[in-house]
Amino acid sequence: MFRPRIPVNPSPTHLVPGLVEPTAITPAHDRPSSQCACTHVGPVAPLPSRSPGSPIRLTGTGLACAVAGGTAVVLVVGAVLVSMLLAVAITGVSVAVCAVVLRSLLSTSRNQH
């Protein structure tokens, strides 16, 4: 569980081989490989690839996580949009109040002259 797994880059055929488990470094051999008494780790078999048309099957937990994640995204996006709309509304009201104050100041200055 605590051993790191190093991902392998996909090949040009877009088939992703399995993950490579790090192994201990072994010293070089002085004799030919046919006389070697060591146990070597062979190549890693690729993971079975999913065809593009096959459906994804979710377990109950996976479905619950997907629904919870989607709900969280909708709530966050909704909160951001509502706050932006509120900011625009507050800005519009403040501009309208400034326009009314300026209009009244200008009209009173014209009436005094």
Side-chain angles (χ1 to χ4, degrees), residues 6 11 27 47 50 54 60 67 69 74-75 89 97 106 109 111:
I6 303 166
S11 64
L47 295 173
R50 190 176 63 86
S54 64
V67 169
V74 167
L75 289 177
V97 168
L106 291 174
S109 67
N111 291 338

Side-chain angles (χ1 to χ4, degrees), residues 5-87:
R5 298 177 71 187
I6 303 166
V8 178
N9 290 335
S11 64
T13 59
H14 301 293
L15 295 175
V16 179
L19 298 176
V20 176
E21 294 284 338
T23 58
I25 298 173
T26 56
H29 299 293
D30 294 334
R31 50 191 162 161
S33 62
S34 61
Q35 299 174 356
C36 180
C38 300
T39 56
H40 294 279
V41 178
V44 177
L47 295 173
S49 62
R50 190 176 63 86
S51 64
S54 64
I56 298 174
R57 293 192 177 103
L58 291 176
T59 61
T61 306
L63 184 60
C65 288
V67 169
T71 304
V73 166
V74 167
L75 289 177
V76 168
V77 169
V80 168
L81 291 178
V82 167
S83 65
M84 289 173 65
L85 181 63
L86 186 60

